[in-house]
């Protein structure tokens, strides 16, 4: 299974972006999907995740202005980023994690999409 992220770009602070991550196969097989980001000189960090049954989790830095969702019919996971700040800039990676009984519960990563926020 491959993950293809898109939707990144250059925006001004305060604007919004919607990132998409489309899988090459059904995402219903995954126990969770999510988004990580990595800024230059910083460690990769979890931004948000969503389980197969819709339970969401957000990092404190984006909570309240970010929404993760998934459309199983389209095999796509979305990340809506609002009120963007310069600190939100980085490469955003989508992930998908198998349940323990499939592929030993491994996580697969897509290629990233770059988000740049100008102040």
């Amino acid at each position: 299974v491959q993950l293809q992220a898109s939707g990144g770009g250059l925006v001004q602070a305060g604007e919004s972006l919607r990132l998409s991550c489309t899988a090459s196969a059904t995402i219903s097989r995954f126990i969770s999907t999510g988004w990580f980001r990595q800024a230059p000189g910083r460690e990769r960090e979890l931004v948000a995740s969503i389980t197969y049954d819709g339970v969401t989790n957000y990092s404190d830095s984006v909570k309240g202005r970010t929404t993760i969702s998934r459309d199983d019919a389209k095999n796509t996971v979305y990340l809506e980023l609002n009120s963007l700040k310069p600190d939100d800039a980085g490469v955003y990676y989508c992930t998908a994690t198998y349940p323990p009984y499939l592929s030993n519960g491994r996580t697969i990563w897509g290629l990233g999409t770059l988000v740049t926020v100008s102040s």
Side-chain angles (χ1 to χ4, degrees):
V1 178
Q2 294 182 328
L3 304 175
Q4 180 65 54
S6 61
L10 171 63
V11 297
Q12 292 188 337
E15 294 184 338
S16 299
L17 273 179
R18 188 175 80 156
L19 307 182
S20 300
C21 175
T22 300
S24 60
T26 179
I27 63 172
S28 61
R29 68 180 66 184
F30 298 111
I31 196 169
S32 71
T33 52
W35 290 90
F36 285 72
R37 71 183 176 198
Q38 186 164 24
R42 296 169 65 177
E43 293 188 357
R44 192 172 295 186
E45 61 173 344
L46 174 68
V47 177
S49 63
I50 184 168
T51 64
Y52 70 98
D53 55 353
V55 177
T56 58
N57 179 54
Y58 299 94
S59 69
D60 288 342
S61 63
V62 303
K63 196 173 294 183
R65 57 188 182 90
T66 297
T67 302
I68 187 170
S69 60
R70 54 190 280 170
D71 185 338
D72 286 14
K74 296 182 178 181
N75 296 323
T76 299
V77 181
Y78 302 99
L79 186 71
E80 184 83 26
L81 300 164
N82 300 307
S83 301
L84 281 159
K85 306 174 182 179
D87 280 351
D88 293 319
V91 179
Y92 283 70
Y93 301 91
C94 59
T95 65
T97 301
Y98 286 99
Y101 53 86
L102 286 177
S103 295
N104 294 317
R106 71 186 177 98
T107 296
I108 59 175
W109 292 75
L111 297 178
T113 185
L114 178 64
V115 173
T116 305
V117 183
S118 64
S119 58

